[in-house]
Amino acid sequence: MILFLGPWSVGKSTMVNYLLGLDENIYQLYTGAEPTTSEFTVLMHGNKVRTVEGIVMAADSARSFSPLEKFGQNFLEKLVGIELPHRLLERVTVVDTPGIIENRKQQERGYPFNDVCQWFIDRADLIFVVFDPTKLDVGLELEMLFRQLKGRESQIRIILNKADNIATQELMRVYGALFWSLAPLINVTEPPRVYVSSFWPYEYQYDTNQNLFLKEEVSLLEDLNQVIENRLENKIAFIRQHAIRVRIHALLVDRYLQTFKDKMTFFSDPELVFNEILDEPDKFYIFKSILAKTNVSKFDLPNPSIYKDFFGINPINSFKLLSAQCSYMGGCLLEKIERIIAHELPGLLGAISAGKNPPLSSCDITGCGETPKNRYRKP
């Protein structure tokens, strides 16, 4: 899945049309200077061109969109699918989203916009966050969006679109201003890749850095192709990463529970005892014991304050010790997770890598010195 996010009227829909070669097609996404996209538009492969309403997509169990029904009927009215017999759509699904309008409250949309975005973010292999030189301000809704993207930095690509609308010197200032605005929101050592160009079917403006824009477009297409080639490996790696987090969480909850049981006496107040453990986890070696007994990196441990909120919602007495969740026939849950992390997922990853067709060479993409072309556009 390729997901397009960003402020309104920055060229998300135009970029989708350009990548799919839908320009001047009756099924092209509507574009304009005003906020034009109010729906979540899902472009999928089909044998013929047709539109699928959101309520149909959610009701069809054969599709992967039935969980979206939980966001309500108002949202389903804002969801539309388009099936196209397109080469690129045989391998990916493209999702265009409504533009972020900072002065619009969630209630005015009629559905939980951020929750819907999170659903698509969790399933996306590549996330394009699109800006243009005139819309670099970061408001509350965009800030919330980047919080939702935390942990997905490797899948994010920043697009500075409509770059040929301004002079080269001004573009350099805009590029710096974009990083200045996004730096507090993307707290990673290596920032996401930024592509600077104008992604539409028109000629670049005269007296702009046309060679740079053309090279940036080719780089983006190569990046897109690489993500598509590696989508299974990336998905397996993400599942393994999530399994490691589940394992650490299970070990910590088990340690909290065991410590609580050890400190309880007949005359103890359960609430006071457990609050003391939550307030001073280092005193009871909660986290240090996990590092000492298991193969866990200290850099993967969560912040201890998180468990105050967690146990505020989930009472400690509602859990069982991991040792009590083992059976003669079924084995232990923790052992199953550890086997998946250490053996099964790496084995699956190796099998896929060994049987995968070799990726396209750079000559297949760029023509070895010829004028680069969009591989996915119709001739």
Side-chain angles (χ1 to χ4, degrees):
M1 180 183 289
I2 302 174
L3 180 64
F4 286 81
L5 300 168
W8 62 275
S9 194
V10 294
K12 297 188 298 297
S13 301
T14 301
M15 188 173 176
V16 172
N17 288 335
Y18 181 54
L19 286 174
L20 297 179
L22 298 179
D23 308 293
E24 299 181 359
N25 186 298
I26 60 172
Y27 285 95
Q28 70 174 337
L29 303 183
Y30 180 64
T31 62
E34 73 283 0
T36 55
T37 303
S38 61
E39 297 93 5
F40 282 79
T41 306
V42 181
L43 294 104
M44 308 166 287
H45 182 265
N47 295 326
K48 61 181 181 179
V49 178
R50 73 185 187 111
T51 302
V52 184
E53 296 297 329
I55 54 175
V56 177
M57 293 172 63
D60 189 351
S61 59
R63 301 179 188 271
S64 58
F65 299 101
S66 54
L68 289 171
E69 199 164 19
K70 67 183 179 181
F71 298 117
Q73 297 302 309
N74 286 339
F75 166 69
L76 295 181
E77 292 178 1
K78 295 293 184 180
L79 176 67
V80 62
I82 299 176
E83 291 186 347
L84 297 167
H86 194 281
R87 179 182 171 189
L88 175 59
L89 296 179
E90 291 178 359
R91 309 177 71 185
V92 299
T93 299
V94 178
V95 180
D96 187 25
T97 62
I100 294 172
I101 304 177
E102 295 296 347
N103 61 358
R104 175 179 292 177
K105 297 180 180 179
Q106 293 246 0
Q107 294 85 348
E108 295 177 4
R109 294 184 184 269
Y111 60 88
F113 176 75
N114 289 116
D115 293 341
V116 175
C117 286
Q118 187 66 63
W119 190 90
F120 284 104
I121 288 169
D122 290 341
R123 288 154 180 80
D125 297 286
L126 190 60
I127 302 169
F128 289 129
V129 185
V130 187
F131 296 89
D132 81 2
T134 64
K135 296 183 178 66
L136 301 180
D137 294 335
V138 176
L140 292 176
E141 196 163 72
L142 191 59
E143 184 177 345
M144 176 63 72
L145 177 64
F146 272 94
R147 288 179 187 170
Q148 294 176 275
L149 292 171
K150 187 173 179 61
R152 298 271 184 173
E153 287 81 7
S154 62
Q155 296 164 277
I156 299 173
R157 305 293 186 271
I158 306 296
I159 308 296
L160 182 55
N161 201 15
K162 306 181 184 180
D164 69 335
N165 285 347
I166 56 177
T168 302
Q169 185 176 6
E170 185 66 21
L171 180 61
M172 294 174 62
R173 296 196 186 101
V174 169
Y175 188 86
L178 177 62
F179 266 100
W180 178 265
S181 299
L182 298 182
L185 307 179
I186 307 177
N187 188 21
V188 292
T189 305
E190 183 177 349
R193 175 72 162 88
V194 179
Y195 292 99
V196 182
S197 188
S198 294
F199 296 93
W200 52 17
Y202 311 113
E203 294 292 332
Y204 300 124
Q205 295 287 341
Y206 176 73
D207 199 23
T208 58
N209 205 332
Q210 300 182 19
N211 289 334
L212 170 65
F213 300 154
L214 195 58
K215 289 178 180 177
E216 288 285 273
E217 180 181 330
V218 173
S219 295
L220 182 140
L221 292 174
E222 291 176 340
D223 191 1
L224 175 59
N225 181 70
Q226 193 65 40
V227 170
I228 294 173
E229 292 290 331
N230 297 333
R231 66 191 185 279
L232 286 180
E233 291 95 325
N234 293 338
K235 189 68 70 177
I236 293 171
F238 179 77
I239 293 172
R240 185 174 182 273
Q241 182 185 49
H242 188 68
I244 291 173
R245 292 173 180 169
V246 170
R247 173 175 174 261
I248 292 173
H249 176 68
L251 289 169
L252 285 170
V253 171
D254 185 68
R255 182 59 186 171
Y256 273 107
L257 180 58
Q258 185 64 62
T259 303
F260 174 68
K261 289 181 177 292
D262 292 344
K263 296 299 177 182
M264 279 295 297
T265 65
F266 182 79
F267 299 101
S268 298
D269 185 329
E271 185 175 353
L272 291 177
V273 170
F274 191 62
N275 284 339
E276 183 184 4
I277 298 173
L278 284 177
D279 292 337
E280 301 181 84
D282 290 339
K283 176 182 176 181
F284 299 95
Y285 302 101
I286 300 293
F287 288 79
K288 291 181 180 179
S289 63
I290 300 300
L291 292 175
K293 295 183 178 180
T294 58
N295 185 22
V296 176
S297 170
K298 65 178 181 180
F299 301 105
D300 289 333
L301 292 178
N303 191 316
S305 62
I306 292 175
Y307 283 91
K308 289 186 178 182
D309 295 332
F310 175 77
F311 286 115
I313 300 173
N314 305 280
I316 187 66
N317 290 324
S318 63
F319 295 97
K320 295 180 180 179
L321 291 172
L322 289 175
S323 58
Q325 301 189 50
C326 298
S327 65
Y328 179 77
M329 297 296 293
C332 298
L333 293 178
L334 185 61
E335 290 178 358
K336 291 180 179 179
I337 294 178
E338 290 177 341
R339 185 168 60 251
I340 289 171
I341 293 171
H343 303 290
E344 294 182 8
L345 287 177
L348 181 60
L349 191 59
I352 291 176
S353 298
K356 187 177 71 171
N357 294 327
L360 293 173
S361 67
S362 58
C363 291
D364 295 320
I365 297 173
T366 63
C368 291
E370 300 178 3
T371 302
K373 296 181 180 179
N374 186 334
R375 300 174 58 241
Y376 299 112
R377 291 195 66 194
K378 295 180 180 178

